[in-house]
Amino acid sequence: MSEIFNFCAGPAMLPADVMKQAQAEFIDWQGTGRSVMELSHRCKEYIALANEAEQDLRDLLSVPDNYKVLFIQGGGRGQFSSVPMNLKGLGESAEFLLTGSWSKGAQQEANKFLQAKVVGNTVEKDGLLSAPEITPNDLDTKSAYFHYCSNETVDGIEINQVPDSGEIPLVVDMSSNILSKPIDVSKFGVIYAGAQKNIGPSGLAVVIVREDLLDYAMPETPTFLHYKTIDKFDSMYNTPPTYSWYLAGLVFKWLKEQGGLTAIAKKNNEKAALLYQCIDECDLYTNNVHPDYRSKMNVTFHLKDKELDTQFLTEAEQNGLVALKGHRIVGGMRASIYNAMPIEGVVALTKFMRDFARRNG
Ligand code: PMP
């Protein structure tokens, strides 16, 4: 089979080396004669694996000691409900910056539990989409937290500047750009991310929460979603998604081997620059995001002639470039180029796009 480059937004491709390792130890993990999937989460081998994965994640993100790292079921949307349930004790309302479909989804779900107020929306700058800057003055000091999405997977909008929320805990949905670059964890109250882009298989979510925020859950919070309980049981209050946690651990090791987040950020910058350059240089393609907010993970673009969309996708697939169709809400195309996408995939895509533009321009 010729090489396939998978540009799916999620579940996304995982690093080839990780997949090969998982395959090699699929039915016999470290001489146990069993798959990781078949081990008790209470056995010492699995606990060692889980602790090591957590430590590797802490190392990669330089997570300060006063933050807990939780491995939780339920993906990104699970946290849309868990965050308000776990923080409602801080206030009856929370504030949301809306920059695309995912932050809107988070706000709508939170509104079931508290008053989820919108503090800002996507704005147009020179006809291009960008996010408004939020300052502590824009926020109500009585709010439980301020929530934003650092990378809108559907819309291709990434916020690089961490907003200043003053004394109000900052909560971020980092599902689609966690681990793509170094971040300062100490600026956040809660960081959460569904795993299926830069971490591992879908269904798992990683939550990094400042320990002083563990005491504010609504009394009705289901026990298995209660951060404090999850932490008390080292993310094993109920049986965790053991295989996903194992794969996430392999991805963290792989990231360390790549040189950590500074090194991976450099590669991500190069990949995104190549692709946006191609879009900007070919008349056939347009991107509607302001350069300061262009996502380095999800590169969205439209063909100027929509009639060519199907032909573009069919020919791309014939060339081994798959899953480029944009999200149904926005249409057009989207190339998701997470950590695992090698530069060769982006080079192959730009080569195809330039050739397609030449033939159809
Ligand atoms: N937030 C963001 C930014 C996402 O991209 C996604 C999924 N694409 C979600 C939340 C929802 O994740 P899940 O499907 O795992 O619930």
Side-chain angles (χ1 to χ4, degrees):
M1 197 169 85
S2 62
E3 191 157 21
I4 297 289
F5 292 111
N6 175 9
F7 294 93
C8 186
M13 68 172 293
L14 290 171
D17 292 344
V18 165
M19 297 302 272
K20 283 186 197 134
Q21 187 179 341
Q23 184 184 43
E25 46 194 35
F26 189 63
I27 55 171
D28 182 8
W29 180 68
Q30 297 198 349
T32 56
R34 285 164 291 165
S35 171
V36 169
M37 209 174 326
E38 301 168 312
L39 294 180
S40 163
H41 55 300
R42 309 263 178 234
C43 76
K44 66 175 188 321
E45 292 89 348
Y46 190 82
I47 289 174
L49 174 161
N51 288 343
E52 200 169 319
E54 181 187 330
Q55 190 54 52
D56 285 338
L57 180 61
R58 283 184 171 275
D59 296 346
L60 284 164
L61 286 169
S62 306
V63 178
D65 289 344
N66 63 327
Y67 282 75
K68 303 294 188 181
V69 174
L70 312 175
F71 291 81
I72 304 184
Q73 322 205 11
R77 277 192 194 272
Q79 293 309 308
F80 289 1
S81 344
S82 284
V83 168
M85 284 194 282
N86 276 283
L87 299 185
K88 194 180 174 184
L90 291 165
E92 289 297 316
S93 62
E95 302 198 73
F96 287 74
L97 175 61
L98 304 191
T99 48
S101 359
W102 289 113
S103 48
K104 280 188 196 126
Q107 184 257 341
Q108 280 164 8
E109 185 65 15
N111 208 36
K112 294 181 179 170
F113 303 96
L114 39 66
Q115 197 195 345
K117 296 193 282 192
V118 177
V119 69
N121 272 291
T122 323
V123 286
E124 279 202 14
K125 223 166 144 183
D126 311 327
L128 298 168
L129 300 177
S130 71
E133 200 190 320
I134 300 297
T135 68
N137 288 339
D138 299 314
L139 303 172
D140 180 349
T141 48
K142 290 198 285 298
S143 294
Y145 59 92
F146 168 61
H147 178 284
Y148 79 110
C149 177
S150 56
N151 187 66
E152 290 281 2
T153 323
V154 169
D155 313 79
I157 298 174
E158 186 165 11
I159 298 176
N160 292 303
Q161 252 358 62
V162 176
D164 177 5
S165 61
E167 293 302 307
I168 301 166
L170 183 59
V171 177
V172 62
D173 175 359
M174 239 182 232
S175 295
S176 51
N177 69 348
I178 193 166
L179 294 172
S180 67
K181 58 187 173 188
I183 51 160
D184 180 354
V185 172
S186 72
K187 290 187 170 161
F188 298 91
V190 179
I191 297 171
Y192 67 88
Q196 64 271 32
K197 291 102 168 45
N198 270 338
I199 296 177
S202 58
L204 176 74
V206 165
V207 175
I208 303 172
V209 50
R210 216 174 58 214
E211 63 187 356
D212 60 282
L213 298 175
L214 292 176
D215 284 318
Y216 297 96
M218 294 164 63
E220 301 85 354
T221 306
T223 314
F224 85 109
L225 299 177
H226 185 225
Y227 291 163
K228 193 165 182 171
T229 306
I230 298 170
D231 173 53
K232 191 169 142 213
F233 287 88
D234 296 326
S235 300
M236 296 191 187
Y237 171 71
N238 62 329
T239 313
T242 53
Y243 198 74
S244 299
W245 195 331
Y246 150 79
L247 273 175
L250 295 188
V251 171
F252 302 153
K253 286 262 183 275
W254 174 82
L255 269 173
K256 281 184 151 181
E257 282 158 20
Q258 303 302 301
L261 300 193
T262 305
I264 206 80
K266 193 163 167 275
K267 288 187 193 163
N268 287 334
N269 287 342
E270 283 166 17
K271 289 186 291 181
L274 260 183
L275 197 40
Y276 284 116
Q277 188 188 358
C278 169
I279 292 166
D280 292 341
E281 285 177 2
C282 298
D283 280 343
L284 187 65
Y285 310 114
T286 57
N287 166 277
N288 62 350
V289 184
H290 190 277
D292 294 346
Y293 293 92
R294 282 176 161 184
S295 170
K296 295 195 170 72
M297 297 283 101
N298 309 98
V299 178
T300 52
F301 57 96
H302 281 80
L303 271 64
K304 280 191 182 144
D305 180 1
K306 254 177 75 162
E307 298 286 302
L308 289 171
D309 280 5
T310 309
Q311 190 190 336
F312 179 91
L313 290 167
T314 309
E315 286 187 26
E317 197 148 326
Q318 284 160 357
N319 283 275
L321 307 163
V322 304
L324 285 164
K325 195 169 189 239
H327 193 280
R328 60 190 181 283
I329 301 175
V330 291
M333 307 295 153
R334 170 176 53 177
S336 295
I337 49 173
Y338 301 115
N339 290 343
M341 174 59 67
I343 186 114
E344 290 77 12
V346 178
V347 170
L349 175 59
T350 53
K351 209 167 144 232
F352 165 74
M353 285 172 65
R354 286 181 192 277
D355 181 55
F356 188 88
R358 220 173 359 255
R359 287 184 286 112
N360 295 283

